[in-house]
Structures are given as structure tokens and as C-alpha cells.
Amino acid sequence: MWNYRSLLGAIAILAGTLGPAPALVLPEIAEMVPHRAVYDITLGAATDAAGIADVRGRLVFEFNGSQCEGYSQNLRFVMSITNREGTTSLSDLRTTTWEDAEGAAFQFDIQNLENQQPIDADTTIGLAKRGGDGHLAVALTKPAPTSLDFPEAALFPLQHTAQLIAAAKRGDVHFEANVYDGSDLGQKFFRTTAVIGKSSPGDETELTGIANTDRLKGQSSWPVTIAYFNAAAGQGEGTPEHEMFFRVYQNGVIRSVKLDYGTLRLDGKLSGIEFLTAKPCGG
């Protein structure tokens, strides 16, 4: 059955290395525009093992902040899921995260509701801090007070997105990084392997009828595939827990996203976007 706890790991991608992550004040972060994007979600494919007949939903993603205040990423993913017996349930995933611009701290609050009822066992709240040697110290307050230490360096979601775009701009075809995003109850990080296609505008007919997309037309963008592996299984070993296919613009906006969990694939199409105005530093 599809593991909903892994969903944030697939969505939050927004010089890749498995060594210590550098402090990040990358120009790619400054180029990311604050925005609120809406994606219509449909069932792309499902095997018998998934036990799912249909999925309809909507994902809303918001990115905002500045170098002085840090950056927030808020996500809400509501899905109506119908199983093979015809029973429909409502899944509501809500995440709120914050990162400082230097990549030294990452706060996360992840909640999952089913049929409008919170699933307390799936609620994850915590703070990750990066030590001088690159390791992560994580303090969880939910689902239970816990202290964790990850000796291997890992990127936070915004760092990962910035370094992915930097790699794409360099013309790199492959990009590898450890990523910690607080998913799976904050207990692990992922090893990720990305394949980056050539820069091109893509099929801009996908933007037809969507308001406020003039800022995207003609802008550099890249098709990307990312495979997420359980770090405990070793780098790039075995079958990925999930894969993500998408096109990312130089300004950080994503469109045409697909989430593949092996037995289940969800297809997301950009249906609306609003560009936000960030509060200037010192303002």
C-alpha cells in the first residue's frame, strides 16, 4: 500500500556532493521567486498491489521569505482516494517548514489528516541544526520528544533545490545528494540521484489558460528525474522508495510533476500560480 509518510520527501526537492554541505548563500536562492502554485492531481497508474481505483486532488505549494529572515515552504495536499471496493476516503497532508539562508537550521511541522481527523501518530514537529563538521542534530517534539544525530552530511529541501538548479545551469547531467526533510517521522534521510535534461522552454501550451504565467514563458527550465533511496540501504542500492519527475524553472517554479511509488503514480498539472512580494531585508 502507498506510504503517505513519504510524500513530503518526493515533493520537497523544491556542486551536488555526498560530502559535507557548504554554507549556502547561493545566487540560486536569491533568484527563487516567492509564489503560490496550485496543481491538480490525478491518478496516472496503479497496480493491483496498490488497491486504489482512483485519486483526485489538489496540491497547493507556497514559497516565501528572504535572505535575512529565512525561507518558508508551506504545502497542503488534499486527495480523494477510492479503493478497489469503491470506498472513498479523504487524505489531507499539511506541512510547514522554515530554513535559514545559510542552511544551518531547518524547522518542520508535518500533519496528516484522514477524513478530517488528525492522525496523531503521523504528526512530526522538530528542529534540525547543522554542526561545524556538517552532521545534523535533530530535536523532535512530536510524535515523541527525541534527539537524533546523523553523522553524514545532508541537505535541507531549499538547499537541495538551489544546488539542483546550480547543477542544471552548469550543464551537469547527474546530481547526487543526501536530503533531510523531516518526513518518515523525522527518523531518516534520503540518498537522492537526479538526472537533469537539457535546458529548453518545454511545451508552453501547458501554460495556456493559466493566469500570471507570462513570467515563466521563455525562461530557462529543465526536465528532472529524482530517485529517493532509503539511506540505511546504502547509496543508490536497490529500488528507490519513490521517484519524482518534473520540470523546474530557473526561478524555482515547478510544473508537470509526477510522483511514482512503484505501485502507484500520481500526475500533477499546474493549474494556477500567484507571484508574491517578499518583505525586503531591513524593511
Side-chain angles (χ1 to χ4, degrees):
M1 186 64 179
W2 182 36
N3 180 4
Y4 297 102
R5 293 175 181 172
S6 298
L7 179 61
L8 178 62
I11 296 175
I13 61 159
L14 301 125
T17 174
L18 296 179
L24 279 189
V25 186
L26 291 180
E28 283 73 22
I29 292 181
E31 292 172 3
M32 293 181 193
V33 294
H35 66 281
R36 182 184 298 109
V38 180
Y39 303 85
D40 291 336
I41 305 296
T42 57
L43 178 62
T47 67
D48 291 341
I52 293 176
D54 193 27
V55 176
R56 300 286 171 178
R58 177 163 289 184
L59 185 154
V60 180
F61 174 79
E62 181 177 308
F63 169 75
N64 211 337
S66 65
Q67 183 175 321
C68 52
E69 295 183 347
Y71 298 90
S72 65
Q73 298 186 82
N74 298 321
L75 176 148
R76 186 172 183 186
F77 193 3
V78 179
M79 294 181 293
S80 175
I81 305 167
T82 303
N83 64 22
R84 293 296 177 90
E85 288 72 40
T87 302
T88 299
S89 61
L90 187 69
S91 174
D92 186 350
L93 176 67
R94 305 175 184 183
T95 75
T96 300
T97 67
W98 173 89
E99 295 178 46
D100 70 341
E102 287 73 31
F106 171 58
Q107 294 178 337
F108 49 95
D109 184 332
I110 305 171
Q111 300 181 42
N112 190 23
L113 288 76
E114 187 171 347
N115 295 324
Q116 300 182 328
Q117 297 300 314
I119 303 176
D120 291 338
D122 282 357
T123 297
T124 308
I125 299 175
L127 170 65
K129 292 185 177 181
R130 190 181 311 283
D133 58 358
H135 81 286
L136 299 182
V138 180
L140 299 175
T141 56
K142 288 186 177 182
T146 309
S147 295
L148 302 169
D149 186 84
F150 297 100
E152 292 189 65
L155 302 176
F156 298 139
L158 179 59
Q159 289 181 301
H160 188 214
T161 303
Q163 290 207 14
L164 178 67
I165 293 175
K169 289 166 65 176
R170 290 194 303 268
D172 294 351
V173 176
H174 295 97
F175 173 81
E176 295 183 345
N178 294 336
V179 177
Y180 182 83
D181 56 23
S183 61
D184 272 34
L185 303 180
Q187 298 290 321
K188 69 180 184 182
F189 63 88
F190 293 96
R191 298 189 188 278
T192 70
T193 300
V195 177
I196 306 170
K198 292 183 179 180
S199 173
S200 66
D203 183 4
E204 293 190 344
T205 60
E206 294 183 13
L207 303 178
T208 302
I210 304 175
N212 304 319
T213 56
D214 287 346
R215 294 176 64 174
L216 300 179
K217 294 176 181 178
Q219 185 173 148
S220 295
S221 63
W222 300 267
V224 178
T225 299
I226 301 181
Y228 291 78
F229 297 87
N230 185 344
Q235 179 182 352
E237 296 180 1
T239 302
E241 289 199 358
H242 46 262
E243 293 182 277
M244 184 176 181
F245 311 86
F246 57 93
R247 179 173 289 276
V248 60
Y249 288 93
Q250 184 171 328
N251 62 9
V253 175
I254 291 175
R255 85 172 203 233
S256 303
V257 63
K258 297 180 185 294
L259 307 175
D260 192 339
Y261 287 83
T263 60
L264 177 77
R265 193 192 79 229
L266 300 178
D267 295 348
K269 181 180 179 181
L270 183 70
S271 60
I273 188 166
E274 176 186 0
F275 291 97
L276 310 174
T277 301
K279 180 180 177 181
C281 291

